[in-house]
Amino acid sequence: MKVSVVKETAPGERRVALVPEAVVKLRTAGLEVLVESGAGDGAWFTDDSYAEAGASVVSRSDALAGDVVLMVGRPDAATVAALRSGQVLIGLLSPLTEPDLTRSLADAGVTAISMDMIPRTLPRAQPMDALSSQANIAGYKAALIAATEFGRFFPLLITAAGTARPAKVLVLGVGVAGLQAIGTARRLGALVSAYDVRPETRTEAESVGATFIELTSVGPAGGEGGYARALTDDERLAQQQELTAHIARHDVVITTAQVPGRRPPLLVTDDALKAMAAGSVIVDMGASALGGNVVGSVPGQTIVTEHGITIIGASALPSSMPAAASAMYSRNVSALLLYLTKDGELALDPDDELQAGVVVTSDGGIVHPSLRESPPAGQPTLAQPDEGPVSE
Ligand code: NAD
């Protein structure tokens, strides 16, 4: 079976799906590995290093002809057009928010396997959990970016020239990224507070050194699979209002809140921005074209408000640490690939819970239970969440 790695096409994407170390592992398992020339350049993995590990370095069209094509992110239209029926594509395909791509992969007869659909609570899926590996990197980098942008110190410093008080950092959303942001800000010496709608995050936040903030106006909001549920409009307003007073007391806010398949919840409103002191810094990890956790944040841009608040729309953070992010993703994708392979060939089993979780399209249809098309008439569409869908 030929497993190929293609160069990512998304603007600014520097990660690569396999690093040379993983090539050796896949070859040992009897797989042939093809790598598009230049695929690892953005993460400093040379063609030579892939060749030394036993891969064949090939053109893009040869790589796209592999039996299994590995990517980090989503394929662009030209890549999808080059795929043929019966091929397998594995990547972070975001099928919950990319219905058109999912449909086109199904129409092309491609078996799409999405790394972001891995059932993360299954113990055997842990080594394949790319959402966690990439969120860890993003949380770490978000704290570093905040520290760099902040015009004061993070730690308490006592010097002959005076004493600097430690920065007060607030982390909103205590998932994988939030926990790493807390830990990193703490290691830099900041005083860190944290908040999340899932009550179980209190002990997790405290275990990495944060003081947990509890809101009286919003009850627990855990959803399915360990994720948060979307808040109702009333809850959202109450949360925003109560958070404003907490936000105002902090120098730095790092927001990481997400609800799968939906727009990121808005946590920092205009009122909250106005209540912050000039010189405060906000890193919005939820920044997206559809809006983020912070009003006015723009992905990939840094904005300074008229009140002197710096808002950093921190999208694509894992790609800003391409070597580490690629190495981790490579381990995740190799673990999944080897799990799906028997005697050097792909052996998909729809009855396996893990596989049923990740296989999105197969045999020309959309097969994932949470995406199945509503039947009859005309052009079928993906099932949409009932409130706040992101696919408008
Ligand atoms: P995520 O990226 O989906 O969301 C980040 C955080 O935002 C979550 O903690 C969520 O509760 C929070 N959030 C959502 N809406 C909010 C709001 N309105 N206000 C404040 N916070 C809000 O989360 P994630 O990092 O992908 O992790 C989600 C869950 O998956 C966690 O429970 C995590 O422990 C769990 N997980 C489990 C495993 C495992 O069992 N092995 C592995 C990875 C993650």
Side-chain angles (χ1 to χ4, degrees):
M1 184 171 77
K2 288 182 180 169
V3 176
S4 51
V5 179
V6 292
K7 194 170 170 64
E8 300 295 313
T9 53
E13 180 57 79
R14 295 177 56 187
R15 293 172 292 177
V16 59
L18 276 190
V19 302
E21 168 200 286
V23 172
V24 177
K25 206 190 291 173
L26 297 185
R27 296 257 308 148
T28 309
L31 307 181
E32 189 179 341
V33 182
L34 312 178
V35 176
E36 179 185 347
S37 176
D41 284 355
W44 303 288
F45 297 108
T46 61
D47 285 354
D48 284 350
S49 65
Y50 284 104
E52 276 162 30
S56 306
V57 177
V58 298
S59 67
R60 184 167 186 85
S61 57
D62 284 351
L64 281 169
D67 301 305
V68 179
V69 177
L70 304 181
M71 293 192 68
V72 180
R74 297 186 289 276
D76 61 9
T79 305
V80 175
L83 294 173
R84 62 169 200 282
S85 182
Q87 273 182 301
V88 174
L89 173 71
I90 306 182
L92 287 161
L93 304 176
S94 313
L96 290 174
T97 55
E98 296 290 339
D100 294 344
L101 171 63
T102 309
R103 180 72 261 162
S104 62
L105 289 168
D107 288 347
V110 170
T111 299
I113 295 181
S114 196
M115 295 293 290
D116 43 4
M117 298 299 277
I118 280 179
R120 300 163 80 191
T121 47
L122 283 182
R124 66 181 183 282
Q126 311 273 298
M128 310 164 198
D129 186 354
L131 284 182
S132 286
S133 72
Q134 304 303 295
N136 245 315
I137 292 170
Y140 166 79
K141 196 67 192 276
L144 295 184
I145 288 172
T148 306
E149 199 65 36
F150 186 47
R152 300 171 194 271
F153 288 103
F154 262 32
L156 167 74
L157 274 193
I158 302 171
T159 76
T163 299
R165 66 166 175 80
K168 290 184 192 148
V169 174
L170 173 61
V171 176
L172 299 176
V174 187
V176 178
L179 285 169
Q180 187 57 254
I182 294 170
T184 305
R186 284 287 298 147
R187 287 192 288 275
L188 288 170
L191 295 175
V192 185
S193 306
Y195 163 72
D196 196 297
V197 281
R198 293 182 297 116
E200 62 269 31
T201 56
R202 168 188 277 276
T203 46
E204 293 163 0
E206 288 173 349
S207 73
V208 286
T211 303
F212 194 76
I213 290 175
E214 206 156 311
L215 299 192
T216 53
S217 61
V218 191
E224 281 174 21
Y227 292 104
R229 65 168 171 81
L231 301 184
T232 63
D233 287 349
D234 288 348
E235 286 175 318
R236 194 164 55 238
L237 271 178
Q239 184 190 54
Q240 288 166 351
Q241 281 168 7
E242 200 178 347
L243 269 180
T244 293
H246 292 286
I247 290 167
R249 285 199 297 275
H250 289 83
D251 305 303
V252 170
V253 178
I254 299 171
T255 66
T256 78
Q258 297 283 349
V259 176
R262 292 166 190 274
R263 289 190 193 89
L266 181 67
L267 304 179
V268 182
T269 60
D270 244 333
D271 287 346
L273 288 181
K274 285 181 187 140
M276 294 184 88
S280 301
V281 171
I282 306 177
V283 178
D284 183 2
M285 289 180 55
S288 75
L290 294 158
N293 295 146
V294 181
V295 68
S297 71
V298 181
Q301 284 188 31
T302 297
I303 294 166
V304 182
T305 70
E306 56 179 317
H307 307 289
I309 313 300
T310 301
I311 304 172
I312 300 161
S315 57
L317 290 180
S319 181
S320 72
M321 292 184 55
S326 302
M328 287 185 170
Y329 183 83
S330 171
R331 275 176 222 131
N332 298 143
V333 80
S334 311
L336 176 64
L337 189 57
L338 292 175
Y339 182 79
L340 301 176
T341 306
K342 208 170 167 212
D343 301 326
E345 294 298 328
L346 214 59
L348 293 181
D349 171 11
D351 294 331
D352 176 73
E353 188 182 355
L354 194 157
Q355 298 197 32
V358 289
V359 178
V360 175
T361 66
S362 177
D363 295 327
I366 295 171
V367 295
H368 196 280
S370 56
L371 296 165
R372 252 184 227 132
E373 297 136 314
S374 40
Q379 191 65 14
T381 53
L382 292 180
Q384 294 294 341
D386 51 4
E387 19 164 313
V390 294
S391 51
E392 290 170 359

